[in-house]
Amino acid sequence: MDSQTVSAEQTARDASTAGKLKPNALGVLGILFLVLSAQAPLTGIAGSVPISVAIGNGPGTAGAYVLVGVVTLLFAVGFVTMGRHVVDAGAFYTYIGKGLGRTAGAGSAGVALFAYCAIQAAMYGLYGAIVNGLVSAHTGLDLPWWVWSLATMAVVQLLGATGIDMGAKLLAVFVLAEFSILLVFSLVTLFKGGGPEGLGISETFSPSAVTQGAPGVAVMFALASMFGFEATAIYGEEAREPKKTVPRATYLAIVVVVGFFALTSWMLVSAHGPSTAVEAAGKALESGDSTAFVFAPIAAEFGNWVNDVLPVLLATSLFAGLLTFHNSANRYLFSLGRDGLLPGRLCTLNSRRSPWVAGCVQTAVAVALVVPFALAGKDPVLTLFSWFSGVAVLGMMLLYLLTSVSVVVFFRRERLDTRLWNTLIAPALATVAVAGAVWLILDNFTTLIGGDSDTALWLELTVPAVMALGLVAARLTRPRVPAADA
């Protein structure tokens, strides 16, 4: 084969992959670890369970996770069915656009991008506070929290540019570490028959237990813990056999995440005792260290070394989440650039087929969201973390709602899949269930953000405002015609 033939074949290959992310980079497990890192298991457990137990539905917290799991599985039926016919890094944006039109899709793209950037900024606030506490405790070096956050942004940008396969391998290490210690504790407690009052099955999973107190708060935090499972579709272009890999990874991720959070929260309540768990969680919150509700029973089971290891794992848990949401957001930017809603420069890929220009823009957005809180001297946990977490959850639930409606409309029009359960019944049920969840979030939003009603209102209004900007962008731009594959 002469050099001209080789050159021609290389040119053809380059043309066929122009504007596309690296194919065949991820399998089911790779995508699963990306999803689990978005959930940040230790962060989700240590951050939300004490609050849900203290001011939510008490011992029924684990039951709330199961309830949310059922709703998420209903949503996933239509989500996965749509994914078999649409493979794109835009995920929600593309799915909604296919069913409800390009304008609605563009509006949802703005919400999705905002939600991912907001949750990442929130995590930078908590991360900076956690790392500063660790470094100060072990070295005596006491720097402002934002120094660690900004330094980590540079690291995340670098790792994001190395390619999704490298990021998935690194995240697997972090996720396995935090996942393992919590799972081992839960299984040991389960097989020992629970804590001082036994397993407390009826106190945890009975209808009266799940609906006692303020169940809306528990459901709200359970929904927050599911944030990021939809990343399975975002990585469809980079998956091996996406029409098989993405559905498997989606269902596996939901089952693993729900099972893990339900089991761990159940065993934590059992370890304290259902009758005293609410009091213990309340004391932990009042002390300013809610993690004590989680760390104390684990240390009692395995030894005091846990108190040194778990804070480190909490930091790596947050780091894993930061990297995952960076990858998710820059793929949204890449998709929007490719479709003409944002500058085409965002489609630029580096030698590892990673969207590095989109990654740089995403990092710049993170800086823009975090720096004002640093300049204002705000508490990174009580403001940055709490406020942006609430906004991100609200935005994501709106996307779930629009996606479920879009699935019904799309398959009634296109008839590409005639299975009623997959294309009508499950998505319709999910629409009703998600609408109820959105109402619960709005009803409990002030509690979620830990602020006042005026702050809650302004934050709530940011979601429809971003949606409106996306709608305007769609009106002012024209879709970019993709180059034909060779």
Side-chain angles (χ1 to χ4, degrees), residues 76-253:
V77 173
F79 183 72
V80 165
T81 303
M82 179 71 92
R84 294 183 186 278
H85 301 279
V86 181
V87 178
D88 189 275
F92 282 139
Y93 146 61
T94 309
Y95 293 3
I96 293 170
K98 287 290 184 180
L100 304 182
R102 179 174 181 265
T103 301
S108 67
V111 175
L113 190 58
F114 178 60
Y116 284 125
C117 290
I119 194 65
Q120 190 200 42
M123 295 175 77
Y124 271 122
L126 181 58
Y127 176 86
I130 294 294
V131 172
N132 181 57
L134 282 172
V135 173
S136 177
H138 289 89
T139 68
L141 179 64
D142 188 12
L143 297 176
W145 64 269
W146 50 265
V147 172
W148 303 108
S149 296
L150 293 177
T152 303
M153 288 181 194
V155 176
V156 167
Q157 169 63 31
L158 179 62
L159 288 173
T162 62
I164 195 62
D165 46 352
M166 180 64 69
K169 292 173 183 176
L170 178 65
L171 292 175
V173 175
F174 290 152
V175 170
L176 280 174
E178 59 181 301
F179 196 82
S180 297
I181 193 167
L182 289 172
L183 184 60
V184 170
F185 161 76
S186 298
L187 292 176
V188 168
T189 305
L190 177 65
F191 289 121
K192 287 177 63 176
E197 301 173 28
L199 293 174
I201 296 176
S202 62
E203 292 91 338
T204 301
F205 296 107
S206 67
S208 60
V210 176
T211 56
Q212 68 180 320
V217 173
V219 168
M220 185 172 56
F221 280 107
L223 288 168
S225 298
M226 290 301 300
F227 197 112
F229 90 90
E230 71 289 335
T232 53
I234 292 176
Y235 300 113
E237 287 187 41
E238 298 158 280
R240 292 188 289 273
E241 298 184 272
K243 291 185 179 181
K244 294 181 179 179
T245 302
V246 171
R248 291 171 183 171
T250 301
Y251 286 123
L252 182 60

Side-chain angles (χ1 to χ4, degrees), residues 100-104 106-107 340-341 468-479:
L100 304 182
R102 179 174 181 265
T103 301
L341 286 167
L469 287 175
L471 297 176
V472 172
R475 294 293 186 184
L476 298 178
T477 59
R478 293 183 178 183

